[in-house]
Amino acid sequence: EQTNLTFYGATTVAIITLEVFAGMGINGFIVSVICISWVKKKTLNSNEKILLVMGCSRFWYFCISWVYYFLSIIYPKYLYVQPTLPLVDGVKSFFNFSNLWVSACLCIFYCIKIANFRNSFFIYLKARIDRMVPWLLLGSVLFSLVFSIIVYSAMDKALCKNLNFTSQGRFWKANIRMDEYFFPIYFLTGFLFAISFVAVIFSALLLLFSLWRHKRNMQTNSMKDLSMDAHIKAMKSILSFLVMYSIHFLIVVLNLIYSLRSQNHVMFLIYVFMYAFPGVHSLSVIFSNPKLEKILLRILSCGNFKFCMK
């Protein structure tokens, strides 16, 4: 039984590690390209600002999450102590929610920039969205910081008042009142994820309706619009993100349900999907951005050429 547990732990760590390092490489690529462009142009447009913050938050989220998961599986006794657990969990929550809200900001930005509506409020937002982006990003970071402080405080209090851990080192198996410490945080986490999920759905539906109306007008007038290709490509990016975000939201809900239980196999599947989402979405962002896609394909083509030469 101990051998099977060891094999299971090694397998889960190996799979999660592959996902984490792939995600770090993808988001590191986005950050590197945008930083190089920033140095050359001395400025960044709104889309690049959002991608830069998103790439940084996801890169560090992968780093902290991998450390958290690695210690919880291999060396739990070094994790479930003060101040390691509250600090790691607080930092992880900060980057997780930064990633969450910045991703939602990216969808909203695409919607306002691309969609066309005659509503006065929408026109107002369209004219000022570039000025609003830095404040949206700052608000997302500050909001995530506040939430991470709440998580740190709850973990610290729970750990201070409970020192009787089980031999397996699982924090949720400790003899504490979970409703007193974690249920409010879990409720707040689900609520915040639900708000961002609604924002993504609303933005995608508005963009879908704008595309459908624009296409219908072009067909009625027997005209061809050169912006249709870009419009459709952006829409595909939004819809792909909507599908992935929906799956991610479901996984988050399952994580909130099963994280207090001892069903390791279920938690393993949850972790696999949770760590896959940031990397896969960042990859779709790369292929929806002509500049990032061109640089990535150039790097891959050079790598294939060198490999063939060897």
Side-chain angles (χ1 to χ4, degrees), residues 1 3 37 67 88 96 135 211 227 240:
E1 182 179 356
T3 304
S37 176
V67 171
V88 173
N96 186 26
W135 294 105
L211 173 63
S227 65
S240 63

Side-chain angles (χ1 to χ4, degrees), residues 67-130:
V67 171
Y68 183 93
Y69 189 78
F70 181 82
L71 290 178
S72 66
I73 295 295
I74 306 300
Y75 301 109
K77 64 180 181 179
Y78 295 110
L79 176 64
Y80 299 105
V81 295
Q82 281 186 313
T84 306
L85 180 61
L87 184 61
V88 173
D89 212 35
V91 175
K92 178 185 174 184
S93 299
F94 170 74
F95 288 114
N96 186 26
F97 274 88
S98 296
N99 163 41
L100 168 73
W101 285 102
V102 174
S103 300
C105 288
L106 182 64
C107 283
I108 296 172
F109 174 78
Y110 281 158
C111 176
I112 295 176
K113 270 290 187 180
I114 298 174
N116 290 311
F117 295 100
R118 296 180 181 178
N119 182 274
S120 58
F121 180 69
F122 190 86
I123 295 175
Y124 173 84
L125 291 178
K126 200 177 188 70
R128 290 166 175 78
I129 185 62
D130 290 322

Side-chain angles (χ1 to χ4, degrees), residues 249-260:
F249 179 74
L250 177 61
I251 294 300
V252 168
V253 174
L254 293 176
N255 182 41
L256 296 178
I257 296 175
Y258 286 98
S259 60
L260 300 180

Side-chain angles (χ1 to χ4, degrees), residues 44-54 130 133-134 137:
L44 292 175
N45 57 42
S46 298
N47 185 47
E48 290 173 333
K49 292 175 183 177
I50 298 176
L51 292 180
L52 178 61
V53 177
M54 186 184 72
D130 290 322
V133 164
L137 295 176

Side-chain angles (χ1 to χ4, degrees), residues 8 26 47 51 65 86-87 90 96 122 132 134 145 149 163 167 188 199 218 222 232 234 243 277 283 291 296 301:
Y8 170 79
I26 293 171
N47 185 47
L51 292 180
S65 296
L87 184 61
N96 186 26
F122 190 86
M132 295 169 59
L145 180 61
I149 293 175
L163 298 177
S167 59
L188 181 60
M218 292 301 101
S222 299
I232 294 175
V243 173
F277 168 75
L283 191 63
K291 180 180 178 180
L296 179 61
S301 62

Side-chain angles (χ1 to χ4, degrees), residues 189-236:
T189 301
F191 178 72
L192 296 177
F193 265 94
I195 292 178
S196 63
F197 182 60
V198 170
V200 170
I201 291 178
F202 190 67
S203 300
L205 292 179
L206 281 178
L207 193 53
L208 178 62
F209 177 74
S210 176
L211 173 63
W212 172 78
R213 189 178 64 175
H214 183 73
K215 184 178 180 180
R216 186 186 63 177
N217 292 336
M218 292 301 101
Q219 290 176 344
T220 303
N221 299 327
S222 299
M223 296 172 57
K224 290 185 179 180
D225 190 1
L226 296 177
S227 65
M228 277 297 295
D229 291 338
H231 202 83
I232 294 175
K233 191 172 185 178
M235 189 61 202
K236 289 180 179 179

Side-chain angles (χ1 to χ4, degrees), residues 9 128 160 182 193 217 261 278 285 300:
R128 290 166 175 78
C160 285
F182 298 113
F193 265 94
N217 292 336
R261 304 179 183 180
V285 168
L300 293 177

